[in-house]
Amino acid sequence: MSDKFDLYRAESEEIEPPVILLEEVSKDYVEGQHALKNVSLEIRKGEFVFIVGSSGSGKSTLIKLLLKEISPTKGHIMVAGKELSRLRENSICKLRRSIGIVFQDFRLLKDRTVFDNVAFAQRVLEVPNYKIRRDVPRVLSIVGLSEKLRSYPDELSGGEQQRVALARALVNNPVILLADEPTGNLDPRNSWEIMHLLEEINRRGTTVVVVTHNREIVDAMQKRVITLNKGVIIGDQKGGYSHAKN
Amino acid sequence: MPKISTFFYGIGQGIKSIFRNRTFSLASIGTMAACLFLFGVFYIMLSNVEYIVKNAETNVGITVFFDEGITDEQIEEIRAQIMTRAEVHTVEYISAEQAWENYKNTKLSPELASSFGDDNPLEDSASFTVYLNDVAMQDSLVRFVKGLPGVRKCNDAAGIADTLSGFNKVITIGSAVIITILLFVAAFLIGMTVSTGVSVRREEISIMKLIGASNFFIKIPFVVEGVLIGIIGAVIPLVIIRLAYIRITNMLAEKFSTMFNMVSFLNVETVMKVLIPASLAIGIGIGFISSRFTLRKQLRKIEVN
Ligand SMILES: Nc1ncnc2c1ncn2[C@@H]1O[C@H](COP(=O)(O)OP(=O)(O)OP(=O)(O)O)[C@@H](O)[C@H]1O
Ligand SMILES: [Mg+2]
């Protein structure tokens, strides 16, 4: 194993390990076909990172690896201080509690109100009711949905639904927020609103990783951009999409 | 360590799930109930047959008649010989006078009886009635007694005990086969109920996994569902059996009392004392095992994204 892992594992107090660390990570779904190939990557606490790349370049694969939904074929991954290869089946849930996640398709429960959708994230972690009553309205006000507590997902616009999903991802105070194409189903105005929210969440201290195809937003926001192509990182720099491209 | 509130949550969700899944739940409960009903019925038959055999063992004796002109000493010698056998419980001597008295009282009209005067037509009918501890030893004892000097005849107590033991064996095997098959069907149906429950809640489970709910928390509603089906499937036949048992045993006792002197059945409490824990254990056990087994397979299939 590499020096870096040994270093961070030593838990020396001066060196805070990155919240996300990948070392020579490869993933083959089918033997010999790399969805990711020798990816090494460090994301530090409080960063805001875009991950871009054409369809099939391995962006979602990367997200799944971070959630330990799949395991790498090769290499090592550390997330929120946990070395994923050492995580037993039963501890995966603990890893996920430190990660908030939103998807393109919102994943809301249609038979529940906005309040209950957000509260669900706390109920499944057995958070006591008095905390749920305190936290849910607070986080809904951050995403600007205080007025819609009692609405059902079908009564909301796409942007509003994504904001509910965002509130659900945030309500348990995750260290990291992962977003896999959060604006993929939204019009430009709603896309911008979600992005500003993500920026705001990042300002409050959460590390934010956003997978997106939205070139305009990436260019405008001037954040760190990691570009994947056919499973390989071909660019990692601050700035816009177009810079990364060449 | 799971919290108490998780159990309440699990019970609430489990009940909801049973209702949401009505068709499968009912099928599972029905099969489980049928299975445990048969189990109860077979158990009752077996334990009662055993009980009746036990009674027969102590009530039915073999009769030993002596050679003509036998002396009292010789009779005592035969008694001593019979008493050496371990399976012998008691030996009762019935004199010729007693035998005649019995016969007169039970089989003859008073006028006919008095016509015999003081004569005893059963002069040489003194006998032993031998009661056994273990009815299975009857054949061997009869052979032994027939071999003793001074014994004219030895009647065994008919084939009742043998018939009953054979009957017991047939019921045991037959019921074991049927119950095993039904248990498999019940387990399969509970598995189906749980896996439809899982697929109905696929979306919810996927989100739960994503948010970091523990496996225990995700599984408990379904385990509760399986166990509840088992419990309901056990309680229904227990109630039916409890209500029907007294009526049916009374009816049978009445019917058979003309054939045999007395048929007594186990009382209902004795039967239920075994049936209640056994049925509940089977119901809960099958519910638990098949839901756990199904969950292990089904939950793997659900991905978080
Ligand atoms: N479960 C799977 N089994 C086999 N191959 C897979 C699986 N999931 C992804 N792949 C393959 O891995 C590669 C990377 O897929 P991935 O989903 O990570 O791409 P992506 O960058 O997220 O693309 P998109 O922008 O279209 O979402 C693709 O070639 C894809 O076909
Ligand atoms: Mg993708």
Side-chain angles (χ1 to χ4, degrees):
Chain A
M1 201 175 288
S2 82
D3 309 341
K4 240 180 215 164
F5 264 71
D6 287 336
L7 191 67
Y8 294 133
R9 201 176 295 123
E11 282 178 37
S12 112
E13 273 165 33
E14 306 95 273
I15 311 162
E16 196 181 353
V19 282
I20 294 171
L21 176 61
L22 277 79
E23 283 263 313
E24 306 274 306
V25 171
S26 294
K27 175 68 191 179
D28 303 5
Y29 288 105
V30 185
E31 212 173 313
Q33 292 179 30
H34 304 295
L36 283 179
K37 191 176 174 188
N38 286 331
V39 169
S40 295
L41 167 66
E42 257 186 67
I43 296 176
R44 306 215 142 253
K45 193 169 188 307
E47 275 194 275
F48 190 116
V49 181
F50 281 118
I51 295 178
V52 301
S54 52
S55 185
S57 57
K59 306 179 298 294
S60 295
T61 301
L62 178 61
I63 298 286
K64 286 179 193 172
L65 283 169
L66 297 178
L67 288 168
K68 199 169 162 67
E69 192 195 338
I70 55 176
S71 296
T73 314
K74 178 176 111 22
H76 299 278
I77 303 173
M78 202 183 236
V79 176
K82 294 185 179 73
E83 214 181 308
L84 301 197
S85 62
R86 298 191 165 198
L87 222 51
R88 282 182 303 121
E89 181 81 21
N90 276 340
S91 310
I92 295 176
C93 61
K94 291 187 191 122
L95 165 76
R96 295 193 181 149
R97 288 174 199 183
S98 50
I99 304 173
I101 175 137
V102 292
F103 295 103
Q104 178 171 355
D105 56 359
F106 321 135
R107 304 275 177 94
L108 300 177
L109 295 168
K110 298 218 181 324
D111 60 343
R112 271 164 245 209
T113 61
V114 166
F115 182 95
D116 285 331
N117 264 285
V118 178
F120 183 70
Q122 293 196 293
R123 295 216 171 94
V124 303
L125 301 190
E126 304 178 70
V127 172
N129 271 324
Y130 78 92
K131 281 191 185 151
I132 296 179
R133 280 193 295 270
R134 183 193 66 197
D135 293 349
V136 174
R138 196 203 50 177
V139 73
L140 280 173
S141 86
I142 294 175
V143 300
L145 281 180
S146 295
E147 312 291 303
K148 304 268 183 175
L149 281 180
R150 309 255 154 262
S151 304
Y152 285 87
D154 286 342
E155 300 162 4
L156 302 175
S157 74
E160 286 168 333
Q161 290 188 49
Q162 191 61 296
R163 281 189 275 161
V164 177
L166 208 48
R168 183 178 66 192
L170 290 174
V171 72
N172 292 317
N173 287 317
V175 183
I176 304 162
L177 182 73
L178 301 179
D180 194 350
E181 300 189 34
T183 61
N185 283 346
L186 304 180
D187 61 21
R189 199 178 62 88
N190 275 307
S191 296
W192 269 112
E193 268 175 20
I194 293 296
M195 283 301 172
H196 286 309
L197 264 174
L198 290 173
E199 210 173 12
E200 168 64 19
I201 288 156
N202 177 241
R203 240 195 309 280
R204 290 168 185 244
T206 308
T207 307
V208 176
V209 177
V210 184
V211 171
T212 185
H213 284 293
N214 195 322
R215 183 183 294 257
E216 190 192 331
I217 287 177
V218 172
D219 283 343
M221 284 178 69
Q222 293 292 302
K223 303 286 186 187
R224 178 178 170 191
V225 181
I226 295 171
T227 311
L228 281 170
N229 184 32
K230 293 181 182 151
V232 179
I233 294 185
I234 55 161
D236 182 353
Q237 60 211 302
K238 208 173 167 72
Y241 205 97
S242 42
H243 295 250
K245 265 273 143 144
N246 30 10
Chain B
M1 198 48 211
K3 295 181 192 170
I4 303 280
S5 61
T6 314
F7 283 98
F8 288 117
Y9 159 83
I11 290 167
Q13 293 293 313
I15 292 170
K16 262 192 206 163
S17 188
I18 285 182
F19 282 103
R20 202 163 12 196
N21 245 328
R22 241 159 284 147
T23 322
F24 270 114
S25 302
L26 282 178
S28 312
I29 290 172
T31 315
M32 184 58 93
C35 176
L36 291 175
F37 180 74
L38 282 182
F39 170 74
V41 168
F42 286 130
Y43 170 74
I44 284 169
M45 286 168 77
L46 288 175
S47 57
N48 272 300
V49 167
E50 196 177 313
Y51 179 69
I52 291 165
V53 169
K54 261 255 140 56
N55 279 346
E57 284 172 8
T58 44
N59 288 340
V60 178
I62 67 174
T63 317
V64 182
F65 295 99
F66 312 111
D67 288 343
E68 280 174 39
I70 197 166
T71 64
D72 287 354
E73 288 76 39
Q74 281 171 306
I75 289 176
E76 275 316 302
E77 176 58 22
I78 293 171
R79 179 202 291 273
Q81 287 288 328
I82 293 173
M83 290 300 284
T84 60
R85 304 277 293 193
E87 68 270 24
V88 171
H89 182 251
T90 48
V91 179
E92 206 174 276
Y93 178 70
I94 296 163
S95 66
E97 290 74 36
Q98 276 171 300
W100 174 234
E101 277 300 311
N102 273 346
Y103 191 79
K104 266 203 300 198
N105 293 341
T106 57
K107 299 277 164 57
L108 300 179
S109 63
E111 302 83 53
L112 194 52
S114 62
S115 71
F116 282 90
D118 283 340
D119 288 344
N120 183 353
L122 300 178
E123 199 137 17
D124 286 315
S125 297
S127 66
F128 279 147
T129 302
V130 181
Y131 295 100
L132 295 156
N133 294 322
D134 180 2
V135 79
M137 294 297 290
Q138 188 172 270
D139 284 349
S140 135
L141 183 68
V142 168
R143 251 177 282 127
F144 170 77
V145 174
K146 277 180 174 164
L148 293 174
V151 172
R152 173 166 54 93
K153 206 167 96 178
C154 176
N155 295 338
D156 57 28
I160 173 170
D162 283 352
T163 318
L164 288 180
S165 311
F167 184 55
N168 248 13
K169 224 170 256 160
V170 172
I171 302 183
T172 311
I173 295 167
S175 59
V177 170
I178 295 171
I179 288 168
T180 310
I181 293 170
L182 277 174
L183 279 181
F184 272 102
V185 175
F188 174 77
L189 282 173
I190 291 177
M192 290 293 284
T193 312
V194 169
S195 69
T196 35
V198 170
S199 62
V200 166
R201 297 181 55 183
R202 187 168 221 94
E203 179 116 42
E204 203 179 328
I205 293 170
S206 141
I207 294 168
M208 285 165 99
K209 281 187 160 187
L210 204 64
I211 288 165
S214 67
N215 280 332
F216 181 84
F217 191 86
I218 294 174
K219 283 177 184 169
I220 190 163
F222 301 104
V223 175
V224 167
E225 183 180 8
V227 169
L228 278 180
I229 287 173
I231 291 175
I232 299 169
V235 168
I236 292 171
L238 285 172
V239 170
I240 295 174
I241 287 172
R242 178 71 177 77
L243 294 176
Y245 187 81
I246 296 176
R247 283 170 182 223
I248 289 173
T249 50
N250 284 345
M251 204 182 73
L252 287 177
E254 221 166 86
K255 263 221 165 89
F256 285 121
S257 61
T258 51
M259 263 194 265
F260 305 101
N261 270 343
M262 218 187 59
V263 176
S264 69
F265 292 96
L266 286 166
N267 75 27
V268 69
E269 268 71 36
T270 317
V271 172
M272 297 311 284
K273 222 187 275 173
V274 176
L275 265 190
I276 290 173
S279 300
L280 284 175
I282 294 173
I284 292 171
I286 297 284
F288 182 77
I289 291 167
S290 64
S291 58
R292 284 300 300 264
F293 185 77
T294 312
L295 283 173
R296 193 176 305 173
K297 281 198 315 197
Q298 294 295 316
L299 289 182
R300 277 228 185 97
K301 291 192 204 152
I302 297 180
E303 298 187 340
V304 298
N305 62 343

